[in-house]
């Protein structure tokens, strides 16, 4: 996977997006569950990363009655080159949002819930206490549910990380997103080493009580050695779970796709990751951070 651009930047493309290969073409499911999920989210006035980030799997997930809840509003304080979430001054946090997320999880009868958020660099704690209150509300109403959080980096502040961990999520997910060389062009404000530090701190503080998880997008111009180095860096930080998926350009204003990585290459990376010791690996073109997240069940010793 050789980059078409220089090492310091990935240029945005004003040209038409390339045609999707056959392995990325999916049929839209037809199911009453999709409409029920849509209506429930509208009724409870909840945001999902499925819509805000234009996830290609949201038709499938909603048709199965699953969704990834995005708390803290739908306006992000960062402007990452890969992400379709709106960058703008956020609104104030909604005090009853944790209760609404908990109610949605109850009505959807979820076994596994994923809670993510926009970056809230405007808040002193980066929105960490809002995560804590949401986790606690979900657990109160759904005592047997597996709770996974997908957090921003909180600027690597110990107090914010500890606030989220105080609510004891089963899985703490923070995405590395891409390889070291491409990070400055792909991510806004976030750094490669800071993300590794967040994961390392969670593992140091919680040990086997909490799984750590991370993911990378492929197809942005990374090389195979760079990917393998990133995987080794994640393992060195104590990361347990891994997702690898194909980057897809959400709009022409976002970073272009450099390569559509074939399924066989994803299989190879997945196998290499398992050999490195990752406990669970999801690797494929359509994989996203929370796609089929419920397929991994935490061991009883960690609950």
């Amino acid at each position: 996977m050789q980059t078409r651009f220089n090492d310091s930047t990935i240029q945005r493309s004003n040209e038409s997006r390339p045609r999707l290969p056959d392995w990325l073409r999916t049929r839209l499911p037809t199911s009453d569950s999709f409409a029920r999920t849509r209506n429930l989210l509208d009724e409870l006035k909840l945001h999902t990363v499925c819509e805000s980030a234009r996830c290609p799997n949201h038709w499938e997930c909603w048709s199965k009655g699953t969704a990834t809840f995005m708390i803290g509003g739908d306006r992000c304080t960062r402007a990452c080159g890969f992400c379709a979430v709106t960058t703008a001054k956020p609104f104030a946090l909604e005090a009853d949002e944790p209760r609404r997320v908990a109610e949605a999880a109850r009505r959807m009868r979820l076994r596994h819930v994923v809670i993510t958020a926009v970056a809230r660099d405007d808040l002193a704690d980066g929105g960490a206490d809002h995560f804590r209150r949401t986790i606690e509300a979900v657990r109160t109403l759904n005592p047997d549910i597996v709770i996974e959080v997908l957090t921003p980096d909180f600027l690597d502040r110990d107090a914010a990380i500890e606030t989220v961990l105080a609510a004891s999520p089963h899985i703490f997910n923070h995405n590395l997103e891409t390889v070291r060389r491409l990070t400055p062009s792909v991510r806004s404000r976030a750094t490669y080493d800071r993300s590794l530090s967040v994961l390392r701190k969670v593992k140091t503080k919680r040990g086997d009580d909490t799984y750590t998880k991370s993911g990378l997008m492929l197809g942005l111009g990374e090389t195979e050695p760079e990917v393998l180095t990133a995987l080794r860096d994640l393992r060195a930080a104590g990361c347990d779970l891994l997702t690898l998926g194909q980057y897809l350009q959400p709009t022409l204003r976002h970073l272009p796709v450099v390569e559509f990585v074939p399924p066989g290459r994803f299989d190879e990376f997945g196998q290499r990751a398992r050999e490195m010791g990752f406990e669970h690996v999801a690797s494929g073109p359509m994989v996203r951070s929370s796609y089929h997240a419920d397929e991994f069940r935490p061991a009883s010793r960690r609950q």
Side-chain angles (χ1 to χ4, degrees):
M1 290 180 285
Q2 298 293 331
T3 179
R4 299 175 185 171
F5 309 120
N6 62 45
D7 287 356
S8 63
T9 186
I10 299 179
Q11 301 170 353
R12 286 175 172 78
S13 172
N14 293 320
E15 301 176 355
S16 298
R17 280 174 282 184
R19 181 180 176 84
L20 291 178
D22 289 342
W23 63 79
L24 287 170
R25 295 180 177 276
T26 59
R27 297 179 61 183
L28 295 181
T30 57
S31 168
D32 291 340
S33 296
F34 181 90
R36 287 197 297 269
T37 302
R38 168 74 279 164
N39 292 337
L40 175 62
L41 295 171
D42 286 344
E43 177 188 345
L44 295 176
K45 298 179 181 178
L46 293 172
H47 301 295
T48 67
V49 74
C50 321
E51 287 185 296
S52 296
R54 302 192 182 188
C55 177
N57 300 316
H58 94 271
W59 286 89
E60 176 187 348
C61 294
W62 286 17
S63 294
K64 292 181 177 179
T66 64
T68 297
F69 301 107
M70 189 172 74
I71 61 175
D74 61 352
R75 293 181 167 195
C76 187
T77 55
R78 302 187 185 184
C80 295
F82 65 89
C83 184
V85 175
T86 300
T87 302
K89 182 179 179 180
F91 296 117
L93 295 176
E94 298 175 345
D96 67 337
E97 186 175 49
R99 177 194 59 78
R100 301 197 319 264
V101 172
E103 176 63 15
R106 184 188 69 81
R107 292 197 204 176
M108 296 170 71
R109 300 179 180 178
L110 298 182
R111 298 185 309 156
H112 186 125
V113 63
V114 182
I115 303 165
T116 190
V118 291
R120 293 296 303 258
D121 296 321
D122 58 311
L123 301 174
D125 70 347
D129 192 61
H130 201 59
F131 264 105
R132 178 191 62 80
R133 294 193 300 110
T134 303
I135 295 167
E136 291 174 349
V138 169
R139 180 173 289 119
T140 297
L141 209 56
N142 309 268
D144 296 324
I145 200 169
V146 173
I147 300 175
E148 176 177 339
V149 293
L150 172 56
T151 76
D153 63 20
F154 298 124
L155 298 176
D156 199 22
R157 292 172 176 155
D158 287 3
I161 296 169
E162 289 169 359
T163 295
V164 177
L165 292 178
S168 297
H170 296 89
I171 301 169
F172 191 108
N173 186 352
H174 173 65
N175 283 333
L176 191 60
E177 304 293 9
T178 190
V179 300
R180 181 185 292 276
R181 175 176 56 86
L182 299 181
T183 294
S185 300
V186 172
R187 306 176 73 191
S188 169
R189 299 194 67 184
T191 71
Y192 185 90
D193 289 316
R194 184 188 296 158
S195 288
L196 291 173
S197 178
V198 169
L199 293 164
R200 187 178 297 109
K201 285 178 179 178
V202 172
K203 184 54 62 177
T204 298
K205 295 173 187 296
R206 300 289 293 186
D208 283 347
D209 290 336
T210 301
Y211 286 91
T212 49
K213 179 178 177 180
S214 193
L216 286 86
M217 303 171 292
L218 304 186
L220 282 162
E222 67 286 333
T223 66
E224 181 173 329
E226 287 176 320
V227 173
L228 296 177
T229 295
L231 299 189
R232 284 190 288 268
D233 288 343
L234 285 170
R235 284 298 298 140
C239 186
D240 301 304
L241 316 176
L242 176 72
T243 59
L244 299 172
Q246 170 71 50
Y247 167 68
L248 296 175
Q249 184 183 23
T251 76
L252 292 177
R253 298 189 302 275
H254 291 84
L255 297 171
V257 175
V258 175
E259 178 186 9
F260 290 116
V261 182
R265 295 281 291 285
F266 276 102
D267 291 342
E268 292 170 6
F269 280 128
Q271 181 57 37
R272 295 291 295 274
R274 294 180 188 95
E275 292 170 357
M276 291 180 190
F278 285 96
E279 194 162 336
H280 181 80
V281 177
S283 181
M286 297 300 288
V287 168
R288 297 296 182 268
S289 297
S290 53
Y291 184 54
H292 289 189
D294 60 345
E295 292 181 354
F296 174 74
R297 299 295 294 173
S300 57
R301 63 185 174 88
R302 301 202 186 198
Q303 294 196 39

